[in-house]
Amino acid sequence: MDAILAALVALMALAAAMAAVLSTLSKAAIFALLAIAPCVYRYRKRIYVIIKTLPRDLKFLWRYANGIIRSKRWGRQNATVAELFTRRALKHPDAPCFIVVDDRTWTFRQMAEKSNQVARVMQDHVGLTRGDVVCVFMPNCGEYVWTWLGMAKVGAVSALINSNLRHKPLLHCIQVAKAKAIVFSDSLAEAIAEVRDQLPPELKLFQLYGTCAPGVIDFGAEMDKHPPEYPIISEKPQYKDTLLYIYTSGTTGMPKAAVLPNSKYLLVMVATVHMLGLRSSDRLYNPLPLYHTAGGLVGTGAALVDGIPSVIRAKFSVSNYWNDCIKYQCTVAQYIGEMCRYLLAQPARACDAQHRVRIMVGNGMRPAIWQQMVDRFKVPQINEIYGATEGNANIINVDNKVGAVGFLPKLIPESLHPIALVRADEQGALVRGRDGFCIRCQPNEPGMFIGLIAQGNASREYYGYVDRSDSNKKLVRDVFCKGDAAFVSGDILVADELGYLYFRDRTGDTYKWKGENVATAEVEDALIAAVERRDCVVYGVSIPQTEGRAGMAAIADPARTLQLPELARRLDHALPAYARPLFLRLMDDIEITGTFKLKKLQYQKEGFDPDVIKDPLYFRSGADFVPITSQLFNDICNGKVKL
């Protein structure tokens, strides 16, 4: 009864207030209010959403506009990464550009001089000119950057090869690039020696540091013979010229070379600086591989173009992550999801919050550990990024929304958005309506993430892969109207009512493990050779509290004659560590569908629980595979077993 009386009093007070307001208005104003009231009521939900998201959207649009203005100016100037770096180096020659952990600091002057010598050596020995390709095969170091920067000064393309690759995948990456030369460090000389007899005889081999094998050119010694002045070029590199090839794993097996022009590198660079709100006083910590987009673009662009120094670590170290940030006074730190889990698994230390890091930026942080990272390490801003190296659809979380990988601005009509979520079936095929066009997803409805293509617009252009047939496989046409086209990411995302986007799953035959995209076809090729052509299928399985999916292989072995220690040895020889299956399932036969497709999705859903699956299951432990018991299964799921 008291509640009802209180409600009546509140209503009476509201009515009195409205009467007081209306008494001050003219008849025309009152009429106008009454006229728009039904419209306001009808669209009240949309109005609420716009008001609620207005600060986020205005912040994004302001930063986006500033970045696009710079990008368009560089386009009008026909500027390149090498040219913009040179301008910075001339203004601030002694400022630090890259700081290598436990090694040395490279100033802009040193980066400029070394890259000039690289260019001159390549002109002298290879006759390198605009459009030619050179493979770069090195671990993380300052030399890595000034090597590809030197190629860029003559307009050549650097193919950045994953330093973990060996044998067939390594050979494939060199061959697909159609390179004239390869530059590698002494630590990777053995890997090159293993495939040397299969390399084209005209391919020039350059080794940096160490004693060179016969026929291999000492890169450092040749550089010393040349002056550190800017190379003389006959044809100026262009804004739209290809700068890098960055290899990504796809569903066809071997790594694919994604095309990255100067324009896209600079777009990523301005997005990094403006969307993160970076300052000239910042210092970025980069323990990620320089052959990937996150480490090689996000981790280098701000340094080369805007002079924001980058601290490079040769390899991620969970025990030294925060120590490095403290020692080198870093204010921005990069991550991938797995790193965050490893950091949280470390025993709590006093230095956990003694750093100056104000921003962490990366991709793959699980919502379940997001708040734990904030609470424990006291990082005020976390910016999750989502995108594909070869694609045109990249998004970012600008306002610390836990778990979100980006958002769709509600201030802008969805028809103007360059990205969209559309309905797709379980296999990832896009679902079309009766009119033949794709169907946009409703809030909270999972869908395929796509990027609409607009050639001539740097932020929406699609460059794809070196192999045009691979590029076309990622395209879909007649999306929302006749003649339009979009890049299909292969990932399922979901948007809530406020437009925040959340990652759900990855379709197709690629899964992510240890921060690397693993192509199941590549693993299957190695596995088939190792198991003497038995039927097999590879897929990724989810593990609780673990980022990505771990590799699992189902193998037809009805007689149970497979020698598991020998299989482990062969897989170690053929595959990088992140691509080796952690789990095995030995079956009497591999099932196929009526259309002769492997039932990969079914196996993936069944996982590796020995209480559910009656086939023998094994887990990779050391140099062998051991049977999975109920106890071992629980220990893996509870995080007691190191993966």
Side-chain angles (χ1 to χ4, degrees), residues 568 581-582 618-626 632 641-642:
L582 280 183
Y618 295 88
F619 172 69
R620 179 66 188 266
S621 179
D624 198 359
F625 288 91
V626 298
L632 178 56
V641 176
K642 185 177 180 181

Side-chain angles (χ1 to χ4, degrees), residues 526-634:
L527 191 61
I528 288 171
V531 298
E532 299 173 346
R533 301 297 167 184
R534 290 177 172 89
D535 289 338
C536 63
V537 59
V538 174
Y539 46 95
V541 292
S542 297
I543 302 174
Q545 305 176 50
T546 303
E547 300 294 338
R549 295 179 184 271
M552 184 166 183
I555 305 171
D557 184 31
R560 304 296 186 260
T561 58
L562 196 60
Q563 299 298 312
L564 298 186
E566 176 62 15
L567 172 61
R569 187 190 68 79
R570 290 187 179 186
L571 291 176
D572 287 353
H573 181 73
L575 296 168
Y578 60 80
R580 299 166 194 159
L582 280 183
F583 302 101
L584 295 181
R585 177 178 177 176
L586 303 186
M587 306 177 67
D588 292 338
D589 191 29
I590 301 293
E591 294 182 73
I592 59 172
T593 66
T595 54
F596 299 96
K597 292 182 180 179
L598 295 167
K599 291 187 176 181
K600 187 175 295 190
L601 188 62
Q602 175 185 322
Y603 296 150
Q604 188 179 64
K605 288 180 178 179
E606 291 172 352
F608 58 99
D609 187 346
D611 293 333
V612 174
I613 300 171
K614 301 311 175 186
D615 298 317
L617 299 172
Y618 295 88
F619 172 69
R620 179 66 188 266
S621 179
D624 198 359
F625 288 91
V626 298
I628 299 178
T629 61
S630 296
Q631 182 62 50
L632 178 56
F633 172 81
N634 290 328

